Amino acid sequence: MFSLMYGFWKYMFSKTEFHVLILGIDKAGKTTLLEKLKELYLNLEGLPPDRIVPTVGLNIGRIEVGNAKLVFWDLGGQPGLRSIWEKYYEEAHAVIYVVDANAPTRFEDSKSALEKVLRHHDVQGAPLLILANKQDLSSAVSSEEVARYLDLKKLDERLYMFEAVSGFDGRGIKGSVDWLVDAMERSKRSEMLRSRTPAA
Ligand SMILES: Nc1nc2c(ncn2[C@@H]2O[C@H](COP(=O)(O)OP(=O)(O)OP(=O)(O)O)[C@@H](O)[C@H]2O)c(=O)[nH]1
Ligand SMILES: [Mg+2]
């Protein structure tokens, strides 16, 4: 009886944890975005942008949104570090892919790195949020233009969305996170990952 009640209590009140990988080529603005997320959701002063250095290891951030606990994994995007990304695919519920919308000369690199992610079996079906970042700059292109440029094929039945954001002024971030939480809550991949986790 106790375990039944405990199970019900856990079902009602425990929060689901989701792992979100933040990917994108170097200088796209991933770590700046992570710091902004902490500021927006934890009311913490994030690291100021001029203190953020290129990522070599892994940065982790945790926030709570409604009934969900999100754990963000921010990895380095320099070419020599991209081979590390795939080590995190298997455990990821979703992927945020950050694009520097102010750097059209790097769109090609960004597109091919993303295509490689999407081809990988271990991240199959993970909802994908593509952020056209740096919208605080007047020369940044729109999310529609980034979408046109990336011209993603083979999205199959993956849930995805493009959004215009800025890791500096925070625009677009909360709406994107709301979409992501909803997508993870209804994705088949989350169901699959849940079924692999032994009940505590
Ligand atoms: N104007 C503007 N600059 C940004 C924004 N986000 C990041 N930057 C700048 O872009 C540069 C790279 O930012 P990072 O957050 O370190 O980029 P990253 O994607 O984490 O880079 P790696 O760790 O090397 O993969 C820095 O000079 C940031 O200040 C933004 O929203 N607007
Ligand atoms: Mg970084």
Side-chain angles (χ1 to χ4, degrees), residues 24-33 49-50 52-56 59 74-78 98 100 133-137 165-169:
I25 64 172
D26 51 296
K27 301 193 185 75
K30 301 176 291 299
T31 308
T32 307
L33 171 79
D50 59 351
I52 294 172
V53 294
T55 307
V56 176
N59 298 310
D74 160 39
L75 292 161
Q78 294 173 57
V98 184
D100 180 348
N133 192 29
K134 308 199 185 179
Q135 294 295 325
D136 55 287
L137 299 172
V165 302
S166 164
F168 271 14
D169 64 22

Side-chain angles (χ1 to χ4, degrees), residues 96-116:
I96 295 181
Y97 194 81
V98 184
V99 178
D100 180 348
N102 195 48
T105 56
R106 303 209 62 203
F107 284 175
E108 196 55 50
D109 190 14
S110 190
K111 175 178 160 83
S112 62
L114 175 56
E115 283 173 342
K116 194 163 175 208

